[in-house]
Amino acid sequence: MRPLTVAAAQLGPIALETSRSATVSRLVGLMEAAKARGADLIVYPELALTTFFPRWYFEDEAELDRFYEREMPGPETRPLFDAARDLGIGFHLGYAELTADGTRFNTAILVDRSGSIVGKYRKIHLPGHGEHEPWRAFQHLEKRYFAAGNLGFRVFDAFGGRIGMAICNDRRWPETYRVLGLQGAEMVLIGYNTPIHNPPAPEHDRLSWHHNELVMQAGAYQNATFVVGVAKAGEEEGVHQMGGSLIVAPTGETVAQAVTEEDELVVATCDLDLCRSYRDSVFAFERHREPGAYALITGTKGPVAPDEAGRIDPALARPDD
Ligand code: CDT
């Protein structure tokens, strides 16, 4: 048995004008509550320090800059690191990062019980659009405000296990989990901000909750890993964001889930040894995968006609024999 007690710290809305220090105090309060419930690790959502600002179009860069962290920890986020060290609890935090060379990333870090950063991830799958689209009820300008992550999907040995990170839209892509699974990830931490309404495809709205659970359960089971999904939820600046924060076991079963759309801790003790049962049997990758048949997965970004598929992977060329 290798128990890791994890707390998914779902957040209710954060208003546009809320100060960084007020939000950090709120996060520290949740950290104290998680510690009181025996957590080794608390997981905060994507962009947990501010409102989900990609819902607005900002022409003025200076106005945009206020949402980004230039250093981590910085003066306003330092209390989180101090509290982690004092309480002896680790944390995962999503935030907007502005690097010294001026690049903007949607980032998450993993911090250990001593308050040291042990892992960083920069969001790879950026949803939404890059230009202002006034027809939408609200914008989703992640493609404008962030560069695609340049750190790949890495794993980090921490908390007695092997931890991977992904951010929001990454959870919908099987490649995310498989790359982490191939490195032996035992727990994947994923923060999200997901509006229930999807302006280009409103017919999906009624399925938001189903899709949220579906992708994380599939990712967990098919890669023999725990998945911790954490929402920023509720009515934030007029946009309804889904809750449903959850902890999924390698069985594919949800073991704990939020019931509100407010600040709420979802806590579970996860036996990381459970991963082995799946990784050594049905998902023993080294015995059962056939990477030679997967050339199309890295050989093209979008769909291709059968002829082009055959050029990328000769096994797909026609006619077959
Ligand atoms: N933050 C983020 O990545 N949100 C997206 C919104 C969906 S746009 C279809 C998500 O995948 O949940």
Side-chain angles (χ1 to χ4, degrees), residues 46 52 123 127-128 140 142 168-169 171-172 193-195 198:
E46 173 191 36
F52 188 73
K123 185 173 182 179
H140 198 113
E142 286 198 63
C168 195
N169 191 260
R171 76 193 188 287
R172 305 187 191 275
N193 280 264
T194 299
N198 184 8

Side-chain angles (χ1 to χ4, degrees), residues 7 9 24-42 44 79-80 82-84 86-91 265 267:
V24 167
S25 302
R26 188 170 152 192
L27 300 186
V28 169
L30 284 164
M31 187 183 281
E32 289 163 351
K35 180 68 187 180
R37 291 178 61 181
D40 304 301
L41 170 65
I42 179 169
Y44 300 110
L80 266 175
D82 293 345
D86 295 348
L87 294 166
I89 183 173
F91 69 91
L265 289 178
V267 182

